[in-house]
Amino acid sequence: MVCLDPLTPDEFTLWYRHLGRLRLFWAKPVVELLPLYKIAEGCVLKARWASERPRLEEAYIAILKKMRRLDFLASLRGVKILITPEVVNRGLYEARGALYIYSTSRPCATGIYLEKPAGGHPEPGPDHVVIASSLSDAGYIVYLNRWSFNIDYMWLKNIEQLDDAVESAICEARRLGGRYVSVATGEGHLDTIDFMAYRPDYIYYTYKLAF
């Protein structure tokens, strides 16, 4: 029971668990992920996140395709995360991010594989495929998670490189059997990139609700 198009329930679970390693305000290391209930506009999940505190942090994730009154979430104790394609009134949230999803049926471009990027870039993890425009003078560098097909890190020389960067990730995800490529933002370095410049097939806004 997951209503986040185009992900299936199994894809969502795998994707969200890997996304938690980025420690966004709306996705942290997952200990448990449970479906709670389905409603006309979407569904609600419960997550238990690993925390630096002695106890686990509980979060409720409401995925709503259409906005409705949110007072049904008020009785839930814990962090409340809203994922929706609609814009929410500023007074209702504490933090905002976004989720961009690109279908791998789109055009793609072949990049160059790197074992390790040059200094100044973070160390890639064992789950990352590192792709660049060239070995020496790179116009972009992308770290694609080989299991979730999320772009965990991206560096661009300029915004004109965005199309090629995303399309190289699409080529790689397609090769690995993925149906989509995602980019998740929320208080991280990817927030500085305007991913709408290469229009996604799906766009969701993510909110940490203020009540």
Side-chain angles (χ1 to χ4, degrees):
M1 184 193 73
V2 169
C3 43
L4 185 73
D5 293 333
L7 280 65
T8 67
D10 287 344
E11 286 173 337
F12 178 88
T13 299
L14 178 66
W15 172 81
Y16 191 78
R17 287 185 178 278
H18 280 274
L19 192 67
R21 299 174 186 176
L22 299 182
R23 295 184 177 274
L24 306 174
F25 73 81
W26 56 280
K28 297 182 181 179
V30 175
V31 175
E32 193 173 24
L33 187 63
L34 304 168
L36 281 189
Y37 49 87
K38 193 170 180 64
I39 54 180
E41 298 84 356
C43 56
V44 180
L45 313 174
K46 181 177 181 179
R48 290 189 174 95
W49 294 335
S51 172
E52 296 178 356
R53 306 173 188 173
R55 58 183 176 80
L56 298 179
E57 187 174 5
E58 291 193 343
Y60 294 90
I61 304 167
I63 304 172
L64 302 182
K65 297 178 182 179
K66 292 185 178 180
M67 280 301 299
R68 57 172 284 177
R69 292 179 61 183
L70 299 175
D71 51 0
F72 76 101
L73 296 172
S75 62
L76 301 177
R77 299 182 62 184
V79 177
K80 300 176 185 68
I81 301 299
L82 173 64
I83 302 176
T84 178
E86 299 190 20
V87 176
V88 171
N89 185 291
R90 179 62 184 90
L92 293 177
Y93 64 88
E94 297 177 357
R96 173 177 168 170
L99 171 61
Y100 309 90
I101 300 178
Y102 301 92
S103 168
T104 56
S105 64
R106 294 170 71 134
C108 74
T110 304
I112 303 297
Y113 294 101
L114 297 182
E115 289 188 11
K116 187 174 181 179
H121 298 285
E123 186 74 19
D127 295 335
H128 289 139
V129 178
V130 182
I131 314 164
S133 55
S134 71
L135 290 174
S136 54
D137 185 26
Y140 66 82
I141 296 176
V142 171
Y143 295 13
L144 180 72
N145 188 298
R146 69 174 69 243
W147 308 115
S148 65
F149 310 115
N150 188 70
I151 294 175
D152 289 348
Y153 175 82
M154 178 185 288
W155 173 85
L156 302 174
K157 180 176 285 188
N158 53 60
I159 192 62
E160 286 73 24
Q161 300 288 331
L162 178 63
D163 290 15
D164 287 343
V166 176
E167 287 177 8
S168 70
I170 287 172
C171 262
E172 183 61 21
R174 186 188 301 171
R175 184 185 72 83
L176 294 170
R179 299 188 304 111
Y180 59 85
V181 167
S182 65
V183 182
T185 71
E187 300 180 337
H189 80 283
L190 292 176
D191 293 71
T192 63
I193 300 174
D194 178 15
F195 286 95
M196 292 301 290
Y198 185 62
R199 188 162 185 82
D201 295 286
Y202 300 85
I203 171 68
Y204 294 94
Y205 302 103
T206 58
Y207 302 92
K208 180 180 180 181
L209 297 177
F211 57 87

